[in-house]
Amino acid sequence: MFAKILVAADHSAMGKHVFRTALSLAKATGASLQLLHVLSLNEEGSPGLPLFQGLDYYPMGNDSALDIYQREWEAYERKGLEFLRSIATEAQAAGVSAEWTQMSGSPERSICDLARTWEADLIVLGNRGRTGWSELFLGSVSNYVVHHAPCSVFVVRAPIPVDSAAPESARTEPAPIST
C-alpha cells in the first residue's frame, strides 16, 4: 500500500504526535520514512528577524542585532537536527527504516518538492487548526499540501482534550494501528 512515507514534523508537541502517527503507519505497512523539518520564520520557536531601531538600522551602525540573530538561527538549526536525529533513532529502534533532511524555506513548497523528488507514496503532516483571519493571513501549510502534493496526504489533527462531562464512549483513546 505505502512504501515511502514523507513525515513533515517540527519539535512541537504536535510534530511529535505527527511522527508517532506516521511511525504506526510505517510499522503497519512496512514503509520507510523520510523525516523532514523545514526551517521557517513562521515556526514556533524560530528566531524572529532583528528589529532595528534608530541609527542601528544603517550598515555602518551597530551589528550586534545581526550577530545575535545569527547565533539564534544557528541554535534553531541545531535544535532541528537534534530532533530529526532523535526521531530517526526512535523509528530505527522500532524496526522502521528512516532517513531525514532539514531545509530552509517555505514549508508547504518544500514538502511538496521533496515528496516529488523522493517519490513519496504518502505525506503525513499536522494541522495547527488555523481558521478565519489567521488562516487568511498566515495561510495553511496542510491546505496547500493537500491541493498541490504529488501523492496522498494524511493530515493529523491535534488530540481533542478529554472532557469529563463527555460520555464514556467519547473518552476512550483510539486504538493504535496494528499489523
Side-chain angles (χ1 to χ4, degrees):
M1 179 173 218
F2 300 116
K4 298 171 84 176
I5 301 174
L6 171 60
V7 184
D10 58 21
H11 34 80
S12 67
M14 183 61 184
K16 291 172 186 158
H17 181 59
V18 166
F19 165 71
R20 291 204 171 79
T21 301
L23 183 59
S24 292
L25 281 168
K27 284 166 53 176
T29 62
S32 62
L33 298 177
Q34 172 67 264
L35 308 169
L36 170 65
H37 177 243
V38 180
L39 299 167
S40 166
L41 294 175
N42 295 329
E43 181 183 355
E44 286 181 32
S46 70
L49 289 174
L51 298 175
F52 299 101
Q53 297 177 356
L55 296 177
D56 289 343
Y57 173 76
Y58 297 98
M60 63 191 107
N62 186 349
D63 289 333
S64 66
L66 287 175
D67 292 338
I68 291 168
Y69 175 75
Q70 181 68 31
R71 283 192 301 274
E72 289 175 350
W73 187 264
E74 288 168 357
Y76 171 57
E77 285 179 321
R78 281 191 304 275
K79 185 177 179 182
L81 292 173
E82 290 167 9
F83 169 70
L84 287 168
R85 283 186 194 108
S86 73
I87 63 174
T89 300
E90 186 177 336
Q92 291 162 352
V96 174
S97 172
E99 54 188 293
W100 53 269
T101 188
Q102 177 169 269
M103 57 183 69
S104 298
S106 160
E108 55 272 19
R109 288 194 173 103
S110 298
I111 293 165
C112 290
D113 289 346
L114 183 57
R116 193 171 290 104
T117 58
W118 190 63
E119 298 177 344
D121 301 314
L122 179 69
I123 298 170
V124 179
L125 76 163
N127 180 313
R128 298 219 186 269
R130 286 193 178 126
T131 58
W133 292 108
S134 67
E135 183 179 15
L136 178 66
F137 289 111
L138 298 174
S140 167
V141 172
S142 58
N143 186 45
Y144 180 94
V145 172
V146 164
H147 288 93
H148 295 89
C151 60
S152 296
V153 179
F154 185 115
V155 179
V156 179
R157 298 200 182 271
I160 298 172
V162 176
D163 181 6
S164 60
E168 183 65 32
S169 62
R171 287 187 270 169
T172 59
E173 291 290 320
I177 298 171
S178 61
T179 55

